[in-house]
Amino acid sequence: METINTRRTIRKYSDKDVSEELLGQLLSQAARTQTMGNLQLYSVVVTRSKEGKEKLAPAHFNQPMVTEAPVVLTICADYNRTSVWCRNRNAVPGYDNFLSFINAATDALLYTQTFCNLAEEAGLGLCYLGTTVYMPQMIIDALKLPELVMPVATLTVGWPAENPPLTDRLPAEAFVHSETYLDYTKADIDRLYAYKEGLEENKHFCEINHKETLAQIFTDIRYTKKDNEAMSEGMMEALKKQKFI
Amino acid sequence: METINTRRTIRKYSDKDVSEELLGQLLSQAARTQTMGNLQLYSVVVTRSKEGKEKLAPAHFNQPMVTEAPVVLTICADYNRTSVWCRNRNAVPGYDNFLSFINAATDALLYTQTFCNLAEEAGLGLCYLGTTVYMPQMIIDALKLPELVMPVATLTVGWPAENPPLTDRLPAEAFVHSETYLDYTKADIDRLYAYKEGLEENKHFCEINHKETLAQIFTDIRYTKKDNEAMSEGMMEALKKQKFI
C-alpha cells in the first residue's frame, strides 16, 4: 500500500476504459472490509452511460469529472436489501431510524475507502465527490433509489491523464490526542497551521479571492454557514423521504 | 494490499506492545486519505492507560477487547479544530449544523479505513467497534470531547493472538447495480443469501437462539427496532449537545 504516500486526487482521465473485469474484482475485494453484523449495509451504483452521467452531473455542480470519467460509482448506505431479506424470512425489520442510517453510512464509507486504496494501488485515478450529500434528492431520483437507500459517496474512476502535485497535510500532532482531547490554544493553532498558511499556492489563493486569511476562504466562499444550513435541511428532507428519520 | 483478501477481525492480542513509533507512522500515513477541502475534519484519541480503557469499556458493552488491547483508538468527526483556527484568523465559522457533521464524519471514517488497511498490512490485528455510535455521550464524557467533536469509530489495536476463520460475504451482484438501482425479488434474495443461510455456523446460530431464520437473529436479538429507536434518540441528543444540530 505504498501508493498511499503519493496519492493524489485525479480529475483528468485517459481514453482507456476501465474493464468490467478489473472493476468487478476491485468491488468484490473491497467487500472484505469489516461490516456491521456482516450485513454489508451498502450498495454501489455503477454509471457508465453518457445519459446516466449527464443525469448525475447537476447534483455535483456539473464538475467535468462526472461526465468525463469512464466510470462513476455512487456508494449508498443501504438497509433496503437487508429489510427485503428480513421480510422474506418471516422477520420484521426495524431499520427505519437514524441510528440505522448512521450504521449503514458507516459501512458504506469504510467500504468506499478500501475500494479507493485498492483502486489506487491498481494504478487507477479517483476523485471523491463530497457533493454527494449536498443535494442527495437529485441523486436519489437519478438512480431510482428506493426507501432505506441513501447516497453517501461518489467516486469518478479512470486511468490518470494528469500528475498533480502532492497536497499538504497537517502534522499528526494536530489531530492525535493522548488519553483525552486537549483543546487548541492560539499558539497551537499558529504552530500547526504555519506550514499550510505559508504555502505560496495558499497565499496566492487569498490574493485572487481578496481575502485576508486562508480561513476566510472556507468560511466566506467555499463552505459558508448559509449554504451549510440550507444543505443540512435538504439532507434531512432526503433522509425523511428515504424513511431513515 | 493483499492482506485485504485474508483479513479477519482480531479480538485477542499478544502481550507485545504497539510501539509509539509504529502507531505514529500509521496515523500519519493514513492522513494521505482524501479529505474535504483538505481540512482533515477528524481527530484521534489514543487510549493506552488502564484507567482510560476502563472508562471507555461500558460504552462498548464491556466487550473485553477494550481493556485487553494495548491500544484503543477513538476516531472523531471534528469541526472544533477548524473552527478554532477560523476564530483565530478573523473568520466566522458556520459548522454547527447537520451537514457539517456528515462532512466531518465522512472524513473521519475514510481516514479510519485507510488506517485499518495500513495497520493490517503491517501485521496488526484490529477490531472495529460499531458500538461507538450507540451511547456516544459516555465516550464524549470519558474523552472530554468539546463541542463540534463527535466520536464515530473505535478500533482496538494489537498484535494478533488468534487466527479466526475467514467470514463469508455476499456475492458482488448482491450489492452492485448497473446504471439504476434494481430492487430485489424474492428469487434474488433466495439466490443471494443461499450461501450465507446454508453455512453450518449460521444454522447452529439459529438453533441455539431458537430462531426459525437467520434474519430473525438480527431483527429479534442483535439489532432490534426498540434498541435502534432508543439509540437513535441518544445519538440525536449527543449531536445536539455537541452543537451539530
Side-chain angles (χ1 to χ4, degrees):
Chain A
M1 239 189 93
E2 286 191 8
T3 41
I4 190 71
N5 300 314
T6 54
R7 70 157 296 285
R8 293 113 155 104
T9 287
I10 300 295
R11 294 180 175 82
K12 291 191 189 305
Y13 308 100
S14 79
D15 290 336
K16 188 181 160 188
D17 200 16
V18 178
S19 74
E20 285 284 357
E21 193 192 342
L22 176 61
L23 185 66
Q25 185 199 307
L26 296 169
L27 289 169
S28 288
Q29 229 184 334
R32 297 306 323 167
T33 303
Q34 67 278 1
T35 152
M36 197 186 84
N38 201 10
L39 289 172
Q40 300 182 245
L41 302 169
Y42 48 79
S43 55
V44 183
V45 184
V46 181
T47 307
R48 287 183 179 268
S49 74
K50 192 170 175 291
E51 314 82 73
K53 292 172 196 166
E54 281 168 1
K55 273 189 198 162
L56 287 171
H60 300 293
F61 299 115
N62 292 308
Q63 291 178 92
M65 301 81 84
V66 180
T67 46
E68 289 171 8
V71 175
V72 179
L73 301 179
T74 307
I75 301 97
C76 306
D78 187 336
Y79 241 125
N80 171 61
R81 190 192 60 242
T82 301
S83 298
V84 176
W85 175 53
C86 291
R87 283 192 294 268
N88 275 289
R89 295 294 183 266
N90 201 21
V92 183
Y95 307 116
D96 52 345
N97 43 61
F98 183 62
L99 187 81
S100 297
F101 167 66
I102 294 291
N103 286 333
T106 298
D107 255 27
L109 291 167
L110 299 177
Y111 172 86
T112 298
Q113 190 54 29
T114 297
F115 176 88
C116 290
N117 290 326
L118 286 166
E120 288 177 341
E121 202 178 53
L124 288 165
L126 307 177
C127 182
Y128 185 102
L129 303 181
T131 39
T132 311
V133 293
Y134 289 6
M135 292 175 289
Q137 193 58 52
M138 294 177 73
I139 299 172
I140 291 165
D141 294 341
L143 303 180
K144 304 189 168 128
L145 304 180
E147 290 177 1
L148 301 188
V149 181
M150 184 79 187
V152 293
T154 302
L155 299 170
T156 57
V157 184
W159 298 101
E162 64 169 349
N163 188 15
L166 205 64
T167 50
D168 67 290
R169 288 293 185 272
L170 295 171
E173 60 154 333
F175 56 86
V176 179
H177 300 256
S178 179
E179 300 295 330
T180 52
Y181 191 101
L182 193 66
D183 213 345
Y184 302 85
T185 63
K186 183 172 187 314
D188 293 333
I189 293 291
D190 289 347
R191 186 179 75 256
L192 299 170
Y193 285 81
Y195 178 76
K196 184 187 283 287
E197 292 175 321
L199 289 172
E200 275 312 318
E201 67 205 66
N202 282 335
K203 289 184 183 172
H204 177 67
F205 207 28
C206 292
E207 271 169 35
I208 57 170
N209 284 290
H210 309 288
K211 289 290 164 192
E212 199 190 317
T213 66
L214 182 63
Q216 289 174 355
I217 306 255
F218 291 96
T219 56
D220 301 356
I221 302 173
R222 292 191 68 183
Y223 309 114
T224 67
K225 188 176 178 66
K226 198 180 149 219
D227 286 351
N228 284 332
E229 287 176 353
M231 292 189 296
S232 293
E233 266 186 55
M235 176 85 183
M236 282 286 190
E237 282 305 311
L239 282 172
K240 271 177 211 164
K241 252 191 111 179
Q242 298 309 94
K243 304 284 186 206
F244 271 123
I245 50 177
Chain B
M1 243 188 94
E2 285 190 8
T3 42
I4 190 70
N5 300 315
T6 54
R7 71 158 294 285
R8 291 108 156 110
T9 286
I10 300 294
R11 294 178 175 84
K12 293 192 188 304
Y13 309 100
S14 81
D15 290 338
K16 189 181 160 189
D17 200 16
V18 177
S19 73
E20 285 284 358
E21 193 191 341
L22 175 61
L23 185 66
Q25 185 199 309
L26 295 170
L27 289 169
S28 290
Q29 228 183 335
R32 297 306 323 166
T33 303
Q34 67 278 1
T35 153
M36 198 187 81
N38 202 9
L39 288 172
Q40 299 180 249
L41 301 170
Y42 49 80
S43 54
V44 183
V45 184
V46 181
T47 307
R48 287 182 178 269
S49 75
K50 193 169 173 293
E51 314 83 74
K53 291 172 197 165
E54 282 168 0
K55 273 189 199 161
L56 287 172
H60 300 293
F61 299 114
N62 292 306
Q63 292 177 93
M65 303 80 84
V66 179
T67 46
E68 289 171 8
V71 175
V72 179
L73 302 179
T74 307
I75 301 97
C76 306
D78 188 336
Y79 241 123
N80 171 61
R81 190 191 61 242
T82 301
S83 297
V84 176
W85 174 52
C86 291
R87 284 192 294 268
N88 275 289
R89 294 295 182 268
N90 202 22
V92 183
Y95 307 117
D96 52 345
N97 43 63
F98 183 63
L99 187 82
S100 297
F101 166 66
I102 294 291
N103 286 333
T106 298
D107 255 26
L109 290 167
L110 299 177
Y111 172 85
T112 297
Q113 189 52 29
T114 296
F115 177 88
C116 290
N117 291 155
L118 287 166
E120 289 177 339
E121 201 177 56
L124 287 165
L126 308 176
C127 182
Y128 185 101
L129 303 180
T131 40
T132 311
V133 293
Y134 289 7
M135 293 174 288
Q137 192 58 50
M138 295 179 72
I139 299 171
I140 292 166
D141 294 340
L143 302 180
K144 303 189 168 131
L145 304 180
E147 290 175 0
L148 300 188
V149 181
M150 184 78 187
V152 293
T154 302
L155 299 170
T156 57
V157 185
W159 298 101
E162 63 169 351
N163 188 16
L166 205 63
T167 51
D168 66 288
R169 289 292 186 272
L170 295 171
E173 60 154 332
F175 55 85
V176 178
H177 300 256
S178 178
E179 300 296 330
T180 51
Y181 191 101
L182 192 65
D183 212 342
Y184 302 85
T185 63
K186 182 170 188 313
D188 293 334
I189 294 291
D190 289 346
R191 187 179 73 253
L192 299 170
Y193 285 80
Y195 178 76
K196 184 188 284 286
E197 292 175 320
L199 288 172
E200 275 312 317
E201 68 206 68
N202 284 334
K203 288 184 184 172
H204 178 67
F205 206 27
C206 291
E207 268 168 38
I208 58 170
N209 283 290
H210 309 289
K211 289 291 165 193
E212 196 192 319
T213 65
L214 182 63
Q216 288 175 355
I217 306 259
F218 291 97
T219 55
D220 300 357
I221 303 172
R222 295 190 67 181
Y223 310 114
T224 68
K225 187 176 178 69
K226 197 180 149 217
D227 286 351
N228 285 332
E229 287 177 355
M231 293 189 295
S232 292
E233 265 186 54
M235 176 88 184
M236 282 286 190
E237 281 306 310
L239 282 171
K240 272 178 207 161
K241 254 192 109 179
Q242 297 310 94
K243 305 283 185 207
F244 271 123
I245 49 177

